[in-house]
Amino acid sequence: MEFESTTSTIAEQHNDHGWQKVTYAKKKRKNPVPLNSVSNGSVISNNNNNNDNVFSVIEKKSEERRKVIEAQRSSSAVYDDDLQVRSSKTKKNYSDYEDSDEEVVENRLDVNNDVEKKKKVKKVKKPKVTMAEAVAKIDVDELASFLVDITTSFEDQQDIQLMRFADYFGRAFASVTASQFPWVKLFRESPVAKVADNPVSHIPEAVYKTSVDWINKRSMEALGSFFLWSLDNILADLTSQLGGAKGSKKGAQKTSSKSQVGLFVVLAMVLRRKPDVLVTALPTLNETLKHLGQDKLPVIVWMVTQASQGDLAVGLYLWSHLILPIVGTKLGSNPQTRDLILQLVERILSAPKAETILVNGAVRKGERLLPPSALDLLLRVTFPSSSARVKATERFEAVYPTLKKVALAGSPGSKAMKQVSQQIMTVSLKASGEGVPELSHEASSIFIWCLTQNPDCCKQWDNFYLDNLKASILILRRLNEQWKELSLNPPSLEALTATLTSLKRKNEKAMADGDNSGDQALYKEADKHCKVLLKRLSRGSGCLKAMMFLVVALGVGATLLPLTSLEPLDWNKLFDVLNTKQFH
């Protein structure tokens, strides 16, 4: 019996095969069992109020956790960030299995809501309107009525009329985005020929004619103010697009916030109809540095192009007074700058009958299209030293002959021509002595031309002789070489004879003094050329006297002989022969 009892006990112990049932204390707390007895074998009644509550510890911990959660919620209200609060709550109470399922659901909902908030709201794209579509909506009758209204309403305020006029075209092209007319990129990257008619070429003929007829009746003062206002607006937009702020990347270009089509259209019509507006603004453009610079040069070139469309002479005048001087500055050494300068003048000279128009209109309102200072610059960029030649040199050589004709054109013997010939003579004398062969050759030819135009130039040369000895020797040599081709009138012959005589005396005095041995050879060479020229002039003077006597004799004979007997005489040949003999 004892053996059976022992065997039964061992069987009961190994009935679970080594497995034990594991239970969680927390799970047991959810279904508490009332305890009727405790240690020491005493019995406790369930209705005894004085006994300790077994849940007091759990309730205390729950209360503490609730306070922590409320504190966290109050803190989250300051930053208004529900997602972070819920996330922190989940982390801090990770061991709390009772609330974990609810918090996971709440967190998922909050994350989904946050993702929806972060999604970008798609903007409704406005339909793109082309230039042609915007222009098609302009009604010429409506425009004419509008111009009548603003002219009547602001009768004595033409500046306001022009502002309203610009506003009309601004509204007409308001739907054209800046990407449809990227004027900064267009002006900087396109040749002058392409941008010359842009954007005014889009305007219908009827609208254009109505507009320019109205512009023609505005005062020059009002148009000048409007031009400067327009220029300021265009340059401000240029600065904003190029990122004028300090520290911006070089070459960075921003997109304009608004289209400038309307303003460019109105400005082009103003400059084409009233090109003198740009002439009146020259002092401001030359004196205000903010209107100059590599970035702004394409804008100025576009404006001069518009003015040249209205008046070719004005276009060349603006080029020589405003654009060409840039060649003599640091900016002028930039190949892109020189290219723009040349493109503009090439376009002006390529116009139909350009040379005839410009030579006949070489003097405009008392001012020369190409002043002596412009000729000086042209000489230097067209005839540089062999080491200083660049790609642009050949293009300057191509336009130089026509520009030289314009610079030297004028009424021979007039007071204005005498004055300009003296100025040109000073420029050419200085250039002749700079030691550049091609430059010296061309400048000395211009100097000799001045001697033929104005006898006072001979006296002026006498005054400059000693300070420009090398240049004077070159000119004396060229006079001997070109003597047969010279055409000197009697006053010029007399003045040149007197000047050469004075130069000969100065040479003899310098050689006699012998102060500067280095210049002795120069004075000897100059003296040799002066003697040769004086001999030719003396022969020419004798021929001149004979010619004058012959003319007087023929005049007396003509009064006594019948006209039919004089017909066989070829008067032109007679004068040609005498003129040829004069200079041999």
Side-chain angles (χ1 to χ4, degrees):
M1 292 294 294
E2 185 177 355
F3 174 78
E4 291 177 357
S5 174
T6 305
T7 305
S8 174
T9 304
I10 293 172
E12 288 175 1
Q13 291 176 352
H14 295 280
N15 191 31
D16 56 359
H17 304 287
W19 293 93
Q20 290 182 352
K21 185 177 181 180
V22 179
T23 60
Y24 290 93
K26 188 171 184 181
K27 190 172 183 180
K28 287 183 179 181
R29 285 200 300 270
K30 289 184 179 180
N31 300 298
V33 178
L35 299 177
N36 295 325
S37 62
V38 291
S39 60
N40 299 327
S42 61
V43 178
I44 301 174
S45 173
N46 290 334
N47 297 324
N48 189 357
N49 296 328
N50 296 325
N51 295 330
D52 294 331
N53 191 341
V54 294
F55 294 103
S56 61
V57 176
I58 296 174
E59 291 176 353
K60 184 177 179 180
K61 289 183 178 181
S62 179
E63 181 66 18
E64 289 175 357
R65 184 170 59 81
R66 185 183 61 80
K67 290 180 180 181
V68 171
I69 292 172
E70 289 179 354
Q72 290 174 348
R73 285 178 177 174
S74 61
S75 175
S76 66
V78 177
Y79 298 97
D80 194 23
D81 192 356
D82 293 340
L83 183 59
Q84 292 182 3
V85 172
R86 289 188 176 95
S87 177
S88 64
K89 282 164 60 180
T90 303
K91 290 179 181 179
K92 290 184 178 180
N93 300 319
Y94 183 79
S95 62
D96 190 354
Y97 291 92
E98 292 179 349
D99 299 328
S100 61
D101 292 336
E102 294 178 359
E103 290 176 357
V104 168
V105 173
E106 289 178 359
N107 287 336
R108 287 177 178 174
L109 292 173
D110 292 338
V111 170
N112 291 335
N113 292 335
D114 191 60
V115 171
E116 290 178 0
K117 290 179 181 178
K118 289 183 178 179
K119 287 183 179 178
K120 293 182 179 179
V121 180
K122 293 184 178 180
K123 295 181 179 179
V124 179
K125 292 184 178 180
K126 296 180 179 179
K128 291 184 179 180
V129 178
T130 63
M131 295 274 289
E133 292 172 345
V135 167
K137 296 179 181 179
I138 300 177
D139 184 81
V140 65
D141 294 329
E142 180 186 345
L143 173 62
S145 177
F146 173 80
L147 294 176
V148 171
D149 289 343
I150 62 173
T151 305
T152 305
S153 302
F154 307 99
E155 185 175 359
D156 299 326
Q157 297 172 301
Q158 292 191 10
D159 52 344
I160 297 179
Q161 293 178 20
L162 288 164
M163 294 290 185
R164 295 293 302 276
F165 177 60
D167 183 61
Y168 179 90
F169 280 91
R171 284 184 278 109
F173 291 100
S175 54
V176 178
T177 61
S179 61
Q180 293 290 311
F181 182 64
W183 71 270
V184 175
K185 181 179 180 181
L186 186 68
F187 283 16
R188 294 177 73 186
E189 301 178 4
S190 303
V192 173
K194 184 176 180 180
V195 301
D197 296 323
N198 204 341
V200 74
S201 60
H202 296 278
I203 305 300
E205 183 64 28
V207 174
Y208 180 84
K209 187 177 185 307
T210 301
S211 300
V212 295
D213 287 346
W214 181 82
I215 290 171
N216 190 42
K217 299 176 182 178
R218 305 310 106 192
S219 69
M220 189 62 66
E221 182 180 359
L223 291 169
S225 299
F226 174 77
F227 165 75
L228 293 176
W229 173 83
S230 302
L231 180 62
D232 287 339
N233 277 273
I234 290 172
L235 294 182
D237 187 60
L238 173 65
T239 302
S240 66
Q241 289 197 53
L242 295 178
K246 208 172 182 182
S248 60
K249 290 184 179 180
K250 188 177 181 181
Q253 184 172 334
K254 301 177 182 177
T255 304
S256 179
S257 59
K258 60 179 181 178
S259 174
Q260 297 288 346
V261 183
L263 185 57
F264 275 101
V265 167
V266 173
L267 187 57
M269 291 191 292
V270 168
L271 294 177
R272 290 181 177 217
R273 189 63 189 87
K274 290 283 190 178
D276 282 336
V277 169
L278 204 53
V279 176
T280 59
L282 269 178
T284 303
L285 294 173
N286 279 322
E287 294 172 7
T288 308
L289 293 177
K290 69 176 183 178
H291 290 162
L292 301 178
Q294 177 63 37
D295 293 332
K296 301 173 181 66
L297 182 59
V299 179
I300 305 297
V301 168
W302 178 84
M303 292 177 179
V304 175
T305 305
Q306 303 311 306
S308 66
Q309 292 288 109
D311 191 327
L312 208 60
V314 172
L316 185 61
Y317 177 89
L318 291 169
W319 180 82
S320 66
H321 287 76
L322 181 62
I323 305 298
L324 180 62
I326 299 175
V327 173
T329 66
K330 184 178 179 180
L331 182 62
S333 60
N334 188 314
Q336 294 179 346
T337 301
R338 291 200 173 200
D339 178 60
L340 268 178
I341 294 170
L342 281 163
Q343 280 191 64
L344 178 56
V345 72
E346 286 167 350
R347 178 176 175 81
I348 292 172
L349 297 182
S350 65
K353 300 180 180 179
E355 182 175 328
T356 303
I357 294 171
L358 296 173
V359 170
N360 291 338
V363 181
R364 183 181 176 277
K365 297 182 179 180
E367 294 188 63
R368 299 193 66 81
L369 300 186
L370 276 168
S373 58
L375 180 61
D376 185 29
L377 279 173
L378 279 173
L379 281 169
R380 298 177 189 283
V381 296
T382 308
F383 305 100
S385 61
S386 57
S387 61
R389 289 182 67 87
V390 293
K391 290 183 178 180
T393 304
E394 292 183 3
R395 294 170 66 186
F396 275 113
E397 288 174 346
V399 299
Y400 175 78
T402 302
L403 295 176
K404 177 185 175 182
K405 289 180 181 178
V406 177
L408 302 183
S411 302
S414 65
K415 184 178 180 180
M417 199 59 198
K418 287 181 179 181
Q419 184 178 2
V420 75
S421 63
Q422 287 180 309
Q423 295 172 353
I424 293 175
M425 192 203 79
T426 304
V427 168
S428 59
L429 179 63
K430 184 179 179 181
S432 298
E434 293 190 359
V436 180
E438 292 184 356
L439 177 62
S440 298
H441 185 275
E442 178 65 20
S444 60
S445 297
I446 295 175
F447 184 93
I448 294 172
W449 173 87
C450 293
L451 297 179
T452 65
Q453 296 296 307
N454 183 7
D456 293 336
C457 288
C458 297
K459 298 177 183 178
Q460 191 174 0
W461 182 20
D462 191 7
N463 296 332
F464 294 157
Y465 178 71
L466 294 177
D467 294 330
N468 299 272
L469 183 58
K470 291 182 179 180
S472 296
I473 291 174
L474 181 63
I475 292 166
L476 289 169
R477 187 185 303 126
R478 291 297 306 280
L479 274 172
N480 274 317
E481 293 172 354
Q482 297 181 4
W483 187 256
K484 294 180 181 180
E485 290 79 24
L486 286 179
S487 178
L488 296 171
N489 54 31
S492 296
L493 281 173
E494 293 176 6
L496 182 59
T497 302
T499 298
L500 290 173
T501 303
S502 175
L503 298 183
K504 182 174 176 295
R505 284 197 296 265
K506 289 179 180 179
N507 294 332
E508 292 171 350
K509 183 177 183 302
M511 288 187 292
D513 294 341
D515 294 335
N516 192 339
S517 58
D519 290 340
Q520 289 298 308
L522 296 176
Y523 284 116
K524 287 180 181 179
E525 184 180 359
D527 186 61
K528 181 183 68 174
H529 291 305
C530 286
K531 288 178 180 178
V532 172
L533 289 170
L534 285 171
K535 286 181 180 179
R536 288 180 170 179
L537 283 169
S538 62
R539 288 198 300 267
S541 178
C543 291
L544 180 63
K545 291 177 181 178
M547 184 184 70
M548 294 300 297
F549 176 78
L550 180 60
V551 169
V552 172
L554 290 173
V556 173
T559 59
L560 301 175
L561 296 173
L563 291 175
T564 53
S565 62
L566 296 176
E567 289 179 0
L569 294 175
D570 192 336
W571 293 93
N572 293 328
K573 288 183 179 180
L574 177 62
F575 281 109
D576 286 342
V577 171
L578 291 173
N579 192 41
T580 303
K581 295 293 183 182
Q582 175 183 350
F583 299 110
H584 280 70

